[in-house]
Amino acid sequence: MKHRSMKISVLTIMFSILIVSFTANEAIAESVPEWVKNNALWYGQGNISETEFLNAIKFLIDNGIIVIDSTEESISEVMEATIIIPNGNFDVSSVGFYSPLNLEINAGTTVIWANEDSVPHTIQSQDEVGKVIDMFNSASLNTGDRFEFTFEESGVYNYFCSFHPWRVGVVTVK
Ligand SMILES: [Cu+2]
C-alpha cells in the first residue's frame, strides 16, 4: 500500500511536467498517442514497470511532443567571424584582398581581423565618403596580431588601412 502511494506521487509529478509543456504548446498536446496515455494509467495502477512508463515519456521527447527548453544553450553560443589580412596585403599591385572582402554577418557578431601579412596594418572605420570615423579603430597590428569589434546594429560598414589606404573592405550586418 505504501509502495503504491509512492508510485502515484511520482505519476503526479510526471503529469505536472506534461501540463507545463502542453500549456506552452497546446497544439502539440493533441498529439500524445493513446498508448502513452494508457501507459500512464497502467503505471499508476501498478500494471506496468517504471521502465515501460519512462520509455513512453522518452517517446514523447524523441518525437518532439515534449519540447525540452534549450534557451540556456543558445544564449551561451558565441557568434564570431574572422577577416584575414593576407600575406601581400600591403602590396598595391598584389591581389592580397581582405578575406572576405565583404563579410556578411548577423547583428551581435564579433568580427576578428587577423594580420597574416609580413608588415603591420591598421583597421579604421570610414563613413560613406571615406572619412575616418570613431567606431572601430585599431592600433597598429603586427604580424599575428588580432583586432576585434562587435557589430550590434545592422548596416554597411566600410573600413581601410591607414598605412595602405588602397586596402578597403566592407562588413555588412543583416
Ligand atoms: Cu595596411
CSV table of all heavy atoms in Angstrom, one decimal, residues 85 113 115 120-124 136-142 145-148 160-163:
chain,number,residue,atom,x,y,z
A,85,ILE,N,43.7,39.4,-42.9
A,85,ILE,CA,44.6,40.3,-43.7
A,85,ILE,C,45.7,39.5,-44.3
A,85,ILE,O,46.6,39.1,-43.5
A,85,ILE,CB,45.1,41.4,-42.8
A,85,ILE,CG1,44.0,42.2,-42.1
A,85,ILE,CG2,46.0,42.4,-43.6
A,85,ILE,CD1,44.4,43.1,-41.0
A,113,TRP,N,39.7,40.7,-37.0
A,113,TRP,CA,40.7,40.9,-38.1
A,113,TRP,C,42.0,40.3,-37.6
A,113,TRP,O,42.5,40.6,-36.5
A,113,TRP,CB,40.9,42.4,-38.4
A,113,TRP,CG,39.8,43.1,-39.1
A,113,TRP,CD1,39.7,43.2,-40.5
A,113,TRP,CD2,38.6,43.7,-38.6
A,113,TRP,NE1,38.5,43.9,-40.8
A,113,TRP,CE2,37.8,44.2,-39.7
A,113,TRP,CE3,38.1,43.8,-37.3
A,113,TRP,CZ2,36.6,44.9,-39.5
A,113,TRP,CZ3,36.9,44.5,-37.1
A,113,TRP,CH2,36.2,45.0,-38.2
A,115,ASN,N,45.9,39.7,-38.7
A,115,ASN,CA,47.0,40.1,-39.6
A,115,ASN,C,47.9,39.0,-39.9
A,115,ASN,O,48.7,38.6,-39.1
A,115,ASN,CB,47.8,41.3,-39.1
A,115,ASN,CG,48.8,41.8,-40.1
A,115,ASN,OD1,48.8,41.4,-41.2
A,115,ASN,ND2,49.7,42.7,-39.6
A,120,PRO,N,53.0,45.5,-40.6
A,120,PRO,CA,51.9,46.0,-39.8
A,120,PRO,C,50.7,46.6,-40.6
A,120,PRO,O,51.0,47.2,-41.7
A,120,PRO,CB,52.5,47.0,-38.9
A,120,PRO,CG,53.9,46.8,-38.9
A,120,PRO,CD,54.2,46.2,-40.2
A,121,HIS,N,49.5,46.5,-40.1
A,121,HIS,CA,48.4,47.2,-40.7
A,121,HIS,C,47.5,47.8,-39.6
A,121,HIS,O,47.7,47.4,-38.4
A,121,HIS,CB,47.5,46.2,-41.5
A,121,HIS,CG,48.2,45.6,-42.7
A,121,HIS,ND1,48.4,46.3,-43.9
A,121,HIS,CD2,48.8,44.4,-42.9
A,121,HIS,CE1,49.0,45.5,-44.7
A,121,HIS,NE2,49.3,44.4,-44.2
A,122,THR,N,46.5,48.6,-40.0
A,122,THR,CA,45.5,49.1,-39.1
A,122,THR,C,44.2,48.8,-39.7
A,122,THR,O,44.1,48.7,-40.9
A,122,THR,CB,45.6,50.6,-38.7
A,122,THR,OG1,45.2,51.3,-39.8
A,122,THR,CG2,47.0,50.9,-38.3
A,123,ILE,N,43.1,48.9,-38.9
A,123,ILE,CA,41.8,48.8,-39.3
A,123,ILE,C,41.1,50.1,-38.8
A,123,ILE,O,41.1,50.4,-37.6
A,123,ILE,CB,41.0,47.6,-38.8
A,123,ILE,CG1,41.7,46.3,-39.2
A,123,ILE,CG2,39.5,47.6,-39.1
A,123,ILE,CD1,41.7,46.1,-40.7
A,124,GLN,N,40.6,50.9,-39.8
A,124,GLN,CA,40.0,52.2,-39.5
A,124,GLN,C,38.6,52.3,-40.1
A,124,GLN,O,38.5,52.1,-41.3
A,124,GLN,CB,40.8,53.4,-40.0
A,124,GLN,CG,42.3,53.4,-39.5
A,124,GLN,CD,42.4,53.5,-38.0
A,124,GLN,OE1,41.6,54.1,-37.3
A,124,GLN,NE2,43.4,52.9,-37.4
A,136,PHE,N,35.2,51.7,-35.1
A,136,PHE,CA,36.1,50.6,-34.8
A,136,PHE,C,37.5,51.0,-35.4
A,136,PHE,O,37.6,51.2,-36.6
A,136,PHE,CB,35.6,49.3,-35.3
A,136,PHE,CG,35.2,49.2,-36.8
A,136,PHE,CD1,36.1,48.7,-37.7
A,136,PHE,CD2,33.9,49.6,-37.1
A,136,PHE,CE1,35.7,48.6,-39.1
A,136,PHE,CE2,33.5,49.5,-38.5
A,136,PHE,CZ,34.4,49.0,-39.4
A,137,ASN,N,38.4,51.2,-34.6
A,137,ASN,CA,39.7,51.8,-35.0
A,137,ASN,C,40.8,51.0,-34.2
A,137,ASN,O,40.9,51.2,-33.0
A,137,ASN,CB,39.8,53.3,-34.7
A,137,ASN,CG,38.6,54.0,-35.2
A,137,ASN,OD1,37.5,54.1,-34.5
A,137,ASN,ND2,38.6,54.6,-36.4
A,138,SER,N,41.6,50.3,-34.9
A,138,SER,CA,42.7,49.5,-34.2
A,138,SER,C,43.9,50.3,-34.1
A,138,SER,O,44.2,51.3,-34.8
A,138,SER,CB,42.9,48.2,-35.0
A,138,SER,OG,43.8,48.5,-36.1
A,139,ALA,N,44.8,49.9,-33.2
A,139,ALA,CA,46.2,50.3,-33.2
A,139,ALA,C,46.9,49.6,-34.3
A,139,ALA,O,46.3,48.8,-35.0
A,139,ALA,CB,46.8,50.0,-31.8
A,140,SER,N,48.2,49.8,-34.4
A,140,SER,CA,49.0,49.2,-35.4
A,140,SER,C,49.0,47.7,-35.1
A,140,SER,O,49.4,47.3,-33.9
A,140,SER,CB,50.4,49.8,-35.5
A,140,SER,OG,51.2,49.1,-36.5
A,141,LEU,N,48.7,46.8,-36.0
A,141,LEU,CA,48.6,45.4,-35.8
A,141,LEU,C,49.9,44.8,-36.5
A,141,LEU,O,50.0,44.8,-37.7
A,141,LEU,CB,47.4,44.8,-36.4
A,141,LEU,CG,46.0,45.4,-36.0
A,141,LEU,CD1,44.9,44.8,-36.8
A,141,LEU,CD2,45.8,45.0,-34.5
A,142,ASN,N,50.7,44.2,-35.6
A,142,ASN,CA,51.9,43.5,-36.2
A,142,ASN,C,51.4,42.1,-36.7
A,142,ASN,O,50.3,41.7,-36.5
A,142,ASN,CB,52.9,43.3,-35.1
A,142,ASN,CG,53.6,44.6,-34.7
A,142,ASN,OD1,53.8,45.5,-35.6
A,142,ASN,ND2,53.8,44.8,-33.4
A,145,ASP,N,48.9,39.7,-35.0
A,145,ASP,CA,48.0,40.4,-34.1
A,145,ASP,C,46.6,40.3,-34.6
A,145,ASP,O,46.3,40.1,-35.7
A,145,ASP,CB,48.4,41.9,-34.0
A,145,ASP,CG,49.6,42.1,-33.1
A,145,ASP,OD1,50.1,41.1,-32.4
A,145,ASP,OD2,50.1,43.2,-33.0
A,146,ARG,N,45.7,40.5,-33.6
A,146,ARG,CA,44.2,40.5,-33.9
A,146,ARG,C,43.6,41.7,-33.4
A,146,ARG,O,44.0,42.2,-32.4
A,146,ARG,CB,43.6,39.2,-33.3
A,146,ARG,CG,44.1,37.9,-34.0
A,146,ARG,CD,44.1,36.8,-33.0
A,146,ARG,NE,42.7,36.4,-32.6
A,146,ARG,CZ,42.0,35.4,-33.2
A,146,ARG,NH1,42.6,34.7,-34.2
A,146,ARG,NH2,40.8,35.1,-32.8
A,147,PHE,N,42.5,42.1,-34.0
A,147,PHE,CA,41.7,43.2,-33.5
A,147,PHE,C,40.2,42.8,-33.7
A,147,PHE,O,39.9,42.2,-34.6
A,147,PHE,CB,42.0,44.5,-34.4
A,147,PHE,CG,41.0,45.6,-34.2
A,147,PHE,CD1,41.0,46.3,-32.9
A,147,PHE,CD2,40.1,46.0,-35.1
A,147,PHE,CE1,40.1,47.3,-32.7
A,147,PHE,CE2,39.2,47.0,-34.9
A,147,PHE,CZ,39.2,47.7,-33.7
A,148,GLU,N,39.4,43.1,-32.6
A,148,GLU,CA,38.0,42.7,-32.7
A,148,GLU,C,37.1,43.8,-32.4
A,148,GLU,O,37.4,44.7,-31.6
A,148,GLU,CB,37.8,41.4,-31.9
A,148,GLU,CG,38.0,41.6,-30.4
A,148,GLU,CD,37.6,40.3,-29.7
A,148,GLU,OE1,38.3,39.3,-29.9
A,148,GLU,OE2,36.7,40.4,-28.8
A,160,PHE,N,39.3,50.8,-43.8
A,160,PHE,CA,40.5,50.7,-44.6
A,160,PHE,C,41.7,50.7,-43.7
A,160,PHE,O,41.5,50.7,-42.5
A,160,PHE,CB,40.6,51.9,-45.6
A,160,PHE,CG,41.0,53.2,-45.0
A,160,PHE,CD1,42.1,53.9,-45.5
A,160,PHE,CD2,40.4,53.7,-43.9
A,160,PHE,CE1,42.6,55.1,-44.9
A,160,PHE,CE2,40.8,54.9,-43.3
A,160,PHE,CZ,41.9,55.6,-43.8
A,161,CYS,N,42.9,50.6,-44.3
A,161,CYS,CA,44.1,50.5,-43.5
A,161,CYS,C,44.8,51.9,-43.7
A,161,CYS,O,45.0,52.4,-44.8
A,161,CYS,CB,45.1,49.4,-44.1
A,161,CYS,SG,46.7,49.5,-43.3
A,162,SER,N,45.1,52.5,-42.6
A,162,SER,CA,45.7,53.9,-42.6
A,162,SER,C,47.1,53.9,-43.3
A,162,SER,O,47.6,54.9,-43.8
A,162,SER,CB,45.7,54.5,-41.3
A,162,SER,OG,46.4,53.7,-40.3
A,163,PHE,N,47.8,52.7,-43.2
A,163,PHE,CA,49.2,52.6,-43.8
A,163,PHE,C,49.1,52.3,-45.3
A,163,PHE,O,50.0,52.7,-46.1
A,163,PHE,CB,50.0,51.5,-43.2
A,163,PHE,CG,50.2,51.6,-41.7
A,163,PHE,CD1,50.3,50.5,-40.9
A,163,PHE,CD2,50.2,52.9,-41.1
A,163,PHE,CE1,50.5,50.6,-39.5
A,163,PHE,CE2,50.4,53.0,-39.7
A,163,PHE,CZ,50.5,51.8,-38.9
